[in-house]
Amino acid sequence: MTMQTTRLGDPAVRAFVTAVNNREREGFMALLAPDATMADDGSERDPVDWTDREIFSSRGHMDVDDESDGGRSLVVRHRNDVWGEMRTRWSFTVDGDGRISHFETGQA
């Protein structure tokens, strides 16, 4: 069963999912720390390039099935126009300013 985005425990992660689902690229980028990093299935990727390709230009959407670690770990049904829908895991590191400094995703 999908969790309501508004009920996600971590404010930065909640804003991340909201920005993805609303296709708010500028708002999304403002959530990331200036030197933010990310990994996809264990491989480091450029977060700007990856999110443009996997989320914004391909109409990505996140339906959250479960959260743990205070809202910083999610199990998500992520879908986009390139890959269709897949069950994925996401984990987030949030810095002292409340911005996402690192996120990782991969098949769940």
Side-chain angles (χ1 to χ4, degrees), residues 2 16-17 20-21 23 28 38 40 50-65 74-90 92 103-108:
T2 302
F16 181 102
V17 173
V20 167
N21 290 347
R23 296 187 183 90
F28 175 89
M38 66 91 46
D40 181 6
W50 187 92
T51 55
D52 185 55
R53 188 178 63 254
E54 300 288 335
I55 294 174
F56 295 106
S57 68
S58 61
R59 298 178 347 119
H61 189 86
M62 300 172 78
D63 289 320
V64 178
D65 288 336
L74 307 177
V75 175
V76 171
R77 282 175 289 120
H78 179 254
R79 66 180 176 275
N80 65 29
D81 290 346
V82 175
W83 304 107
E85 182 174 292
M86 65 187 103
R87 187 171 163 86
T88 55
R89 58 171 171 66
W90 295 72
F92 299 86
F103 67 96
E104 294 187 32
T105 186
Q107 301 243 4

Side-chain angles (χ1 to χ4, degrees), residues 1-76:
M1 181 170 190
T2 302
M3 292 181 65
Q4 289 181 310
T5 303
T6 56
R7 297 174 87 66
L8 294 175
D10 186 278
V13 174
R14 183 181 330 121
F16 181 102
V17 173
T18 300
V20 167
N21 290 347
N22 292 335
R23 296 187 183 90
E24 296 172 351
R25 191 177 197 290
E26 285 183 33
F28 175 89
M29 296 310 291
L31 298 169
L32 300 181
D35 57 350
T37 58
M38 66 91 46
D40 181 6
D41 280 326
S43 297
E44 289 294 317
R45 305 283 187 213
D46 175 81
V48 174
D49 176 62
W50 187 92
T51 55
D52 185 55
R53 188 178 63 254
E54 300 288 335
I55 294 174
F56 295 106
S57 68
S58 61
R59 298 178 347 119
H61 189 86
M62 300 172 78
D63 289 320
V64 178
D65 288 336
D66 192 30
E67 73 171 346
S68 57
D69 190 27
R72 293 190 179 173
S73 294
L74 307 177
V75 175
V76 171

